Amino acid sequence: MSADQVLDYMAGLGREARAASRVIARATTAVKNRALLATADAIEAAADSLIAANALDLQAGRDNGLDEAMIDRLAITPAGLQAMVEGLRQVAALPDPIGAIRDMKYLPSGIQVGRMRVPLGVIGIIYESRPNVTVEAASLCLKSGNACILRGGSESIHSNRAIADCIRQGLEAAGLPQQVVQVVETTDRAAVGALISMPEYVDVIVPRGGKGLIERISRDARVPVIKHLDGICHVYVDDRADLDKAEAITLNAKTHRYGVCNAMETLLVHQGVASVFLPRIAALYADKGVELRGCEQTRAILPQAVAATEEDWGTEYLAPILSIRVVADMDAAMEHINRYSSQHTESIVTEDFTRARRFLAEVDSSSVMVNASTRFADGFEYGLGAEIGISTDKLHARGPVGLEGLTSEKYVVYGDGHIRK
Amino acid sequence: MSADQVLDYMAGLGREARAASRVIARATTAVKNRALLATADAIEAAADSLIAANALDLQAGRDNGLDEAMIDRLAITPAGLQAMVEGLRQVAALPDPIGAIRDMKYLPSGIQVGRMRVPLGVIGIIYESRPNVTVEAASLCLKSGNACILRGGSESIHSNRAIADCIRQGLEAAGLPQQVVQVVETTDRAAVGALISMPEYVDVIVPRGGKGLIERISRDARVPVIKHLDGICHVYVDDRADLDKAEAITLNAKTHRYGVCNAMETLLVHQGVASVFLPRIAALYADKGVELRGCEQTRAILPQAVAATEEDWGTEYLAPILSIRVVADMDAAMEHINRYSSQHTESIVTEDFTRARRFLAEVDSSSVMVNASTRFADGFEYGLGAEIGISTDKLHARGPVGLEGLTSEKYVVYGDGHIRK
């Protein structure tokens, strides 16, 4: 396709999505659930052809020299396929957020005012490799009454087309137009540029992928973006911490999984407990093969730690590496967090009520915790039932974004011929 | 100042605002209220010098040939001054939104998760003429725990400086840093460009003023904007309407005030009642001097109406002009609204339960009403206690924006040494 043809094609998708968004916005809960469950059935029935389509992507990926991590994300295993199916059924089981009316109350003028939850309209999702995002994103948009346009990576185009077929079957079974969920069929990169520049057709963009992708999209988009950048998460071990809890939490926050945004990247320890706590936890990290990088005070206690540089404090390792800093007190810990945190998730370990309360109030991150592992910052763990991403922005959605983050509220007013005096 | 000096000056304000935002974010309700009440007292005490400063602006405005409407908006009358004072005391009396925790609940893992309301950080307000906005905006930002940078029009610079003095006294009386509320002291237009391009210092921009200003800022801003564009509001009179209610509502929605965004601009009437209702309401509009512009069917009933053009349906008159269209049924009315509405406020007049319910669900505007005048779409009328603007966007805040629109929520997690399995 030429650049103009890509623009035309994308505008066509946009127009269709806008029209379909009006239909899905007023679809009943039963109809939306029927589409989700029928999609699940279609995926189960099409298992063989889905895995065959995925094999084409895997082969092309290997031919193009994709690294093993990429190939791994790209692969649809039988277990992964079953997880997609389960995910669809779980989203069908979630309560429908749309149409809920809250806080309906009478005002002195006699009118009754409340707020009704409504879909955003059309959501553009831009993602890389993992084909299961196609199912996840489509199901969350559908349940929240939104149309969506999905633009996956070119490396997963065969898988995504096959999944899109199943979604179309699901929509058809429920009597919904197939334009409710549209998969961009061209791998032309200009399609992304077009998708993020059509405010008349697209209400919000959700990018899912590496930092580079998200930064590029946030910079260029002419549409609001629900974005998630770094997760530079901190745990602060206070001198009034229960050190058994501190040990469990700091071990879990670093080593439960390394390549995730809610893993701890920097450990802050109060100077009053550093000489007791650090050797204890360092032994456990050594067992796991975690490299330690420490400030001077840390290295006085743990000579095996490498000297941390200024750059370390601002780095999301996503790897078995941890930076450690000994701090004078909680205020110094919060100052460090203020300066280096990506405002994703921070946790304090303390038994002190007043400090816990201050930390919760004063640390400006999307999740703030007391005596819990940062690894809990997640839509499923928070009971949202699903997650389309974790927002480190402050406007609209902050923290794990579930169905509610894909909706808005409008005011509804009931009167009986009321006029303003 | 040179362009570079303006940039430096604005960056300085931004840095100071960011630092002050941390202080005001954790100020207690009592301290914030003290600042508001002390500002009210300071304005009362400084009445004479405020009016003298305003006289300088008025004189300059007349010298520069401002029209009477502009001069009118610029003027601080003794009654206007008293309204500022009352406004401050009302904001002090509002509940403090900050720190409220909702929906704290236990999850299967044993952690307890809830959401805490927090300030946005630093808010930039850009406005024209009316100096009372300085007080209103500052008071709402302060109560919601935000620092703010206020950039009023150059035509009101003396008034704004005098008001800023009073606010400084109020902040000082409460022991708060004066950088919590900063007024841009230069009238250089480059200051606006700088203010909307500092995401590191400013979290959100609220423009208040004409459509041109808001469009320009939305286009150029590198910071999220809470914006309010047109108010092309509709009232649809159904054939199952109580025509007495319809008469009261359509008269009020058009003629209560003309230059406001929640005035009705287009009246849609079901064909089944048009020949009865239109002559009735036309007589009342004639008394008020409202010019009518109608579709063909309207003009068959009201020959005095001018022929409406396509342009009329998309015009916010802000004047004693009304466009009228006769429609086949409610679906046709909603189709018209869908196409021409600015998604501000629409109202249906009907006694039919099912149609009312459909209109509420299917019309995609920030306020949707049944049997009430569109003029009610207002923060005070909705019981928000105050209003910083009306958002016609869908993300973050929609409809009248009060204190809550200047806040966000973060997740708080309580544990007892909990780790993720």
Side-chain angles (χ1 to χ4, degrees):
Chain A
M1 280 201 240
S2 72
D4 275 357
Q5 282 172 320
V6 172
L7 286 184
D8 281 352
Y9 168 70
M10 292 305 292
L13 291 189
R15 252 191 315 274
E16 302 263 29
R18 177 62 75 209
S21 75
R22 303 221 166 88
V23 179
I24 188 69
R26 53 181 194 250
T28 63
T29 310
V31 164
K32 292 188 286 188
N33 289 347
R34 203 172 310 143
L36 292 166
L37 296 174
T39 303
D41 294 345
I43 288 176
E44 268 187 334
D48 292 345
S49 62
L50 274 174
I51 287 177
N54 186 239
L56 293 178
D57 287 331
L58 292 173
Q59 189 53 52
R62 288 203 183 87
D63 293 349
N64 293 325
L66 289 192
D67 64 34
E68 268 315 300
M70 278 283 259
I71 293 287
D72 206 47
R73 280 201 292 278
L74 191 52
I76 303 180
T77 60
L81 201 127
Q82 200 48 44
M84 288 184 200
V85 169
E86 293 302 325
L88 281 160
R89 290 176 182 153
Q90 277 167 22
V91 172
L94 288 176
D96 188 346
I98 299 306
I101 298 181
R102 69 174 171 106
D103 296 346
M104 200 78 212
K105 56 191 165 201
Y106 282 100
L107 285 155
S109 63
I111 60 170
Q112 208 181 354
V113 179
R115 298 170 82 168
M116 183 192 282
R117 197 159 285 285
V118 293
L120 290 176
V122 177
I123 299 176
I125 318 262
I126 299 166
Y127 54 104
E128 290 167 338
S129 335
R130 297 173 51 188
N132 60 320
V133 172
T134 308
V135 172
E136 272 178 42
S139 64
L140 293 174
C141 291
L142 198 156
K143 181 81 184 211
S144 55
N146 295 288
C148 63
I149 301 176
L150 305 169
R151 207 286 180 180
S154 55
E155 65 287 350
S156 50
I157 186 75
H158 296 98
S159 313
N160 289 338
R161 279 182 189 150
I163 292 169
D165 265 340
C166 297
I167 297 174
R168 262 194 292 271
Q169 290 172 48
L171 291 167
E172 200 182 327
L176 287 168
Q178 63 176 55
Q179 292 80 4
V180 167
V181 179
Q182 294 178 104
V183 169
V184 176
E185 294 277 349
T186 170
T187 58
D188 196 309
R189 294 192 66 152
V192 172
L195 186 57
I196 64 177
S197 311
M198 310 191 291
E200 65 279 31
Y201 299 133
V202 177
D203 296 291
V204 59
I205 294 286
V206 182
R208 290 183 56 162
K211 199 177 159 181
L213 172 83
I214 295 172
E215 279 180 344
R216 210 165 51 242
I217 285 171
S218 307
R219 195 186 54 230
D220 298 339
R222 289 185 47 228
V223 176
V225 177
I226 296 181
K227 64 174 170 287
H228 164 207
L229 290 165
D230 306 11
I232 304 179
C233 302
H234 297 76
V235 175
Y236 164 60
V237 176
D238 189 41
D239 64 335
R240 298 203 186 141
D242 174 328
L243 294 187
D244 291 336
K245 294 178 191 170
E247 183 184 294
I249 289 167
T250 55
L251 186 67
N252 184 259
K254 183 68 234 180
T255 69
H256 184 253
R257 274 180 71 188
Y258 295 111
V260 291
C261 60
N262 57 13
M264 166 177 67
E265 305 294 3
T266 301
L267 169 64
L268 302 168
V269 180
H270 191 291
Q271 60 182 2
V273 289
S275 60
V276 179
F277 180 68
L278 284 178
R280 244 177 99 170
I281 191 72
L284 297 170
Y285 286 137
D287 289 346
K288 300 273 187 180
V290 175
E291 178 191 331
L292 304 181
R293 301 184 185 177
C295 68
E296 254 182 62
Q297 277 179 277
T298 302
R299 295 180 71 221
I301 300 164
L302 304 175
Q304 71 270 38
V306 183
T309 64
E310 176 68 19
E311 208 193 324
D312 279 298
W313 310 126
T315 299
E316 183 180 19
Y317 300 118
L318 297 169
I321 305 172
L322 177 71
S323 57
I324 305 179
R325 187 170 203 168
V326 174
V327 293
D329 54 21
M330 184 174 79
D331 282 293
M334 292 199 297
E335 220 163 89
H336 179 100
I337 289 170
N338 232 347
R339 180 145 173 216
Y340 297 104
S341 162
S342 62
Q343 305 193 309
H344 187 297
T345 299
E346 329 297 336
S347 183
I348 183 174
V349 187
T350 192
E351 296 301 308
D352 186 289
F353 178 81
T354 301
R355 287 194 197 164
R357 212 165 155 239
R358 272 195 62 203
F359 191 88
L360 286 171
E362 295 177 24
V363 169
D364 185 23
S365 297
S366 74
S367 286
V368 190
M369 306 181 166
V370 181
N371 295 340
S373 168
T374 54
R375 284 283 293 133
F376 282 112
D378 173 287
F380 288 92
E381 293 295 333
Y382 283 0
L384 305 184
E387 178 186 294
I388 198 141
I390 295 184
S391 167
T392 46
D393 276 338
K394 282 186 177 179
L395 257 69
H396 190 64
R398 196 174 187 203
V401 180
L403 289 177
E404 196 184 291
L406 300 179
T407 66
S408 179
E409 284 183 317
K410 67 184 178 194
Y411 283 93
V412 291
V413 177
Y414 302 161
D416 190 28
H418 284 85
I419 59 170
R420 191 151 161 201
K421 308 285 180 197
Chain B
M1 283 201 241
S2 72
D4 274 358
Q5 282 172 321
V6 172
L7 286 185
D8 281 354
Y9 167 72
M10 293 304 293
L13 290 189
R15 252 190 314 273
E16 302 263 31
R18 178 61 76 209
S21 75
R22 303 222 165 85
V23 179
I24 189 68
R26 52 180 194 251
T28 63
T29 310
V31 164
K32 292 187 284 189
N33 289 347
R34 203 174 308 144
L36 291 166
L37 296 173
T39 302
D41 294 345
I43 288 178
E44 267 186 335
D48 292 345
S49 62
L50 272 175
I51 285 175
N54 187 241
L56 293 178
D57 287 330
L58 292 173
Q59 189 53 54
R62 288 204 182 87
D63 292 349
N64 292 326
L66 289 193
D67 63 36
E68 268 315 299
M70 279 282 260
I71 293 287
D72 205 50
R73 282 202 291 279
L74 192 52
I76 303 180
T77 61
L81 202 127
Q82 201 47 43
M84 288 183 201
V85 169
E86 293 303 326
L88 281 160
R89 288 174 184 154
Q90 278 167 20
V91 172
L94 288 177
D96 188 345
I98 299 306
I101 299 181
R102 70 172 170 108
D103 296 346
M104 200 79 211
K105 56 190 164 202
Y106 283 100
L107 286 156
S109 64
I111 61 170
Q112 208 181 353
V113 179
R115 299 170 81 168
M116 182 191 283
R117 197 159 283 287
V118 294
L120 290 176
V122 177
I123 298 175
I125 318 261
I126 299 167
Y127 54 104
E128 291 169 336
S129 334
R130 299 174 49 190
N132 60 322
V133 172
T134 308
V135 172
E136 273 177 41
S139 64
L140 292 175
C141 291
L142 197 157
K143 182 80 185 213
S144 55
N146 294 289
C148 62
I149 301 176
L150 305 170
R151 208 285 182 180
S154 55
E155 64 286 352
S156 50
I157 185 77
H158 296 99
S159 313
N160 288 339
R161 278 183 189 150
I163 293 169
D165 265 341
C166 297
I167 297 174
R168 263 192 293 270
Q169 291 173 47
L171 291 167
E172 201 182 327
L176 287 168
Q178 63 176 56
Q179 290 81 3
V180 167
V181 179
Q182 295 178 101
V183 169
V184 176
E185 294 276 351
T186 169
T187 57
D188 196 310
R189 295 192 66 152
V192 172
L195 185 56
I196 64 175
S197 313
M198 308 191 292
E200 64 279 32
Y201 299 134
V202 176
D203 295 290
V204 60
I205 293 286
V206 182
R208 289 183 56 162
K211 198 176 160 184
L213 172 84
I214 296 173
E215 278 181 342
R216 209 164 51 242
I217 286 171
S218 306
R219 196 185 52 230
D220 298 340
R222 288 186 47 227
V223 177
V225 176
I226 295 181
K227 63 172 169 291
H228 164 204
L229 289 165
D230 305 11
I232 303 180
C233 302
H234 297 75
V235 176
Y236 164 60
V237 176
D238 190 40
D239 63 337
R240 301 208 182 138
D242 173 327
L243 294 187
D244 291 337
K245 294 178 192 171
E247 182 185 294
I249 289 166
T250 54
L251 187 67
N252 184 259
K254 183 68 235 180
T255 69
H256 184 252
R257 274 180 72 187
Y258 295 110
V260 290
C261 60
N262 56 15
M264 167 178 64
E265 305 294 2
T266 300
L267 170 62
L268 302 168
V269 180
H270 191 291
Q271 58 183 3
V273 288
S275 60
V276 178
F277 181 66
L278 283 179
R280 241 176 103 168
I281 190 72
L284 298 170
Y285 285 138
D287 288 347
K288 300 273 188 182
V290 175
E291 178 190 330
L292 304 181
R293 301 186 185 176
C295 68
E296 255 180 63
Q297 277 180 273
T298 302
R299 294 180 70 221
I301 300 164
L302 302 177
Q304 71 272 36
V306 183
T309 64
E310 175 67 19
E311 207 193 326
D312 278 299
W313 310 126
T315 300
E316 183 180 20
Y317 299 117
L318 297 170
I321 305 172
L322 177 72
S323 55
I324 304 179
R325 187 170 202 169
V326 174
V327 292
D329 53 20
M330 185 175 78
D331 282 291
M334 293 199 297
E335 221 165 88
H336 179 100
I337 289 170
N338 232 347
R339 177 140 174 222
Y340 297 104
S341 162
S342 64
Q343 305 193 309
H344 188 297
T345 299
E346 331 297 337
S347 183
I348 183 174
V349 187
T350 192
E351 295 301 307
D352 187 288
F353 179 79
T354 302
R355 289 196 195 161
R357 211 163 157 240
R358 271 195 63 205
F359 191 88
L360 287 171
E362 296 179 22
V363 170
D364 185 23
S365 298
S366 74
S367 287
V368 190
M369 307 183 165
V370 181
N371 295 337
S373 169
T374 55
R375 284 284 293 133
F376 282 112
D378 172 288
F380 288 92
E381 293 294 333
Y382 283 1
L384 305 183
E387 178 186 291
I388 199 141
I390 295 185
S391 166
T392 45
D393 276 336
K394 283 186 177 179
L395 257 70
H396 191 63
R398 195 173 187 202
V401 180
L403 289 177
E404 197 184 291
L406 300 178
T407 67
S408 178
E409 284 184 314
K410 68 185 178 193
Y411 283 93
V412 292
V413 177
Y414 303 160
D416 190 29
H418 284 83
I419 60 169
R420 188 149 164 206
K421 308 288 181 196

